[in-house]
Every structure is written in structure tokens, then in C-alpha cells.
Amino acid sequence: LAKTTQPISMDSYEGQEVNITCSHNNIATNDYITWYQQFPSQGPRFIIQGYKTKVTNEVASLFIPADRKSSTLSLPRVSLSDTAVYYCLVGVFYNQGGKLIFGQGTELSVKP
Amino acid sequence: EAGVTQFPSHSVIEKGQTVTLRCDPISGHDNLYWYRRVMGKEIKFLLHFVKESKQDESGMPNNRFLAERTGGTYSTLKVQPAELEDSGVYFCASSLVPGQGAGEQFFGPGTRLTVL
């Protein structure tokens, strides 16, 4: 399983764009990159998933360079409600039986 | 559509007692997972059901933990007897299919278990 490394914490202000980078140097050919978000006192919530290049949805964008050894979650114009822990997960989870392997995540704090 | 629900939201018990946690997955989701976060640690996988069958229980810490999913609907996780180190938040998640890549798992709010 590919190990992931991401910053423990980040601070931002309302209205700014936030980019959280995750390193996964030993990512395998069949691995996907997935990000989850967790608010206090809630379970994690799926945000976005990608394999290569760029993926965008209504919540975020995911940028994956050609070598796939890192990925960047981009949150446009954050608000106070985006304060949460963000987890980067890498793997072909179907072949792992579907289980998710969480790291320590990045605690994002958005200030007014 | 109702999300994943868990009961109770909080449970405080004494060491040696028994506690049963319940999870109701999203209707129609064959895959049900249990995870937990003990204090200060990362969220860890416990086990995975496909319908009523245990697909993977490699994360179950010891035989004091028993998970069931009779009829392939709701699931229970029993801890007997509870120990201090079992304190933490227990999450349940469900998904339609494991899916390619990570797929998308829908998590419940968790049950916070405190063992005194």
C-alpha cells in the first residue's frame, strides 16, 4: 500500500484558495488517489477521486502530475465552514476488499 | 435519502462491561464497514461485510470484538468485556459497491465509546 505524507496543519483566511499537497512516492500503477473531509463530530466524507491529470467537481479540484508521486487538493474560495481535517488516500481499494487506509490528515483552519 | 445512522451516539461504560453498537447502512448498500479511532490515533479499519458475510475482518483487534450483520441489513459490533483501551470513536460506513479506485464510502456520525 502506498504511504502518504501530507502537512499536519494549515491555516487560511476566508475567500482564499487553499491547496493541500499529498506525497505518495511509491504509488502503484493501478492506484487511485482519493480525498476525504472530516468535520468535528462527524464521519469522513468523500470529496474527490482521480487517477491522473485534473479532476474537478462542485467542491474541489484534484491536480495530479504526470509522475503521480504527489497530488494537490484545491479548495477555491474557502469559507469558515471548510474548517476540517482532509485525508489523502491512495490505493486500489477494491482489491483491498474495499477498506480505506487513513493517515493523520491535514487539519485546515479557516479564519475570518 | 437517509444516510448511515449509528446508535448510540455516546456510550459510557465501566471496564469489564459489555457494549453493543449498532449501524444502519444506507438502504441497498451491500457493503458495510466498521472503523475506529482511538484517542490520538488514526482512523483504523476493523472489518468489512458484503451483505451478511464477513469479507475482511483483518482489522479486528482481538476476540473481545464481535460483529454481526444478520439478514444483510443493519450491523452490530459488540465489545465484551470492554477494556480501557477500547475507548474511542467507532464509525460505520456503507457503499453500493467497493468500486474502482476508492469508490465512495458513506460514513455515519460515529459512536463515542468511553470505558472507565
Side-chain angles (χ1 to χ4, degrees):
Chain A
L1 298 176
K3 177 179 169 56
T4 61
T5 303
Q6 50 184 126
I8 294 175
S9 64
M10 293 182 69
D11 291 331
S12 183
Y13 291 94
E14 283 190 292
Q16 290 186 330
E17 178 184 75
V18 171
N19 295 307
I20 306 174
T21 297
C22 178
S23 297
H24 27 81
N25 292 320
N26 60 338
I27 189 169
T29 302
N30 295 329
D31 285 347
Y32 279 70
I33 300 158
T34 305
W35 287 78
Y36 275 74
Q37 172 192 56
Q38 185 179 23
F39 298 114
S41 301
Q42 294 186 25
R45 182 176 76 109
F46 174 92
I47 302 177
I48 197 166
Q49 176 182 296
Y51 182 78
K52 61 181 180 181
T53 62
K54 176 184 175 183
V55 180
T56 297
N57 61 23
E58 65 278 5
V59 176
S61 294
L62 179 59
F63 297 92
I64 306 169
D67 66 5
R68 303 199 328 120
K69 293 184 182 300
S70 67
S71 59
T72 298
L73 176 72
S74 181
L75 305 172
R77 299 179 59 79
V78 294
S79 64
L80 297 177
S81 63
D82 291 315
T83 294
V85 179
Y86 293 81
Y87 297 96
C88 167
L89 294 82
V90 173
V92 182
F93 301 103
Y94 181 77
N95 290 343
Q96 296 165 205
K99 64 184 177 186
L100 301 176
I101 312 292
F102 288 87
Q104 63 184 1
T106 296
E107 188 169 358
L108 172 66
S109 177
V110 180
K111 303 174 182 178
Chain B
E1 179 182 311
V4 176
T5 58
Q6 295 186 244
F7 181 84
S9 57
H10 294 85
S11 180
V12 180
I13 61 173
E14 293 189 351
K15 176 182 172 180
Q17 290 186 323
T18 297
V19 63
T20 299
L21 313 181
R22 172 170 170 145
C23 168
D24 286 79
I26 292 173
S27 178
H29 282 194
D30 287 342
N31 295 276
L32 186 149
Y33 310 83
W34 284 97
Y35 297 84
R36 75 170 181 176
R37 182 207 298 273
V38 295
M39 203 59 64
K41 298 295 181 74
E42 298 161 359
I43 298 173
K44 296 288 190 183
F45 166 82
L46 295 178
L47 87 160
H48 171 206
F49 283 101
V50 177
K51 296 185 179 179
E52 67 275 10
S53 300
K54 293 177 184 175
Q55 180 77 11
D56 179 359
E57 51 184 331
S58 61
M60 295 288 264
N62 51 60
N63 59 10
R64 294 185 294 103
F65 289 76
L66 174 64
E68 295 180 325
R69 192 183 182 195
T70 306
T73 54
Y74 71 91
S75 174
T76 58
L77 180 64
K78 180 190 290 187
V79 185
Q80 179 182 29
E83 298 289 345
L84 299 178
E85 63 265 25
D86 300 331
S87 295
V89 182
Y90 290 76
F91 294 104
C92 175
S94 72
S95 72
L96 197 54
V97 290
Q100 193 173 35
E104 180 176 357
Q105 293 185 16
F106 297 84
F107 281 76
T111 293
R112 181 173 295 278
L113 174 64
T114 301
V115 182
L116 302 176

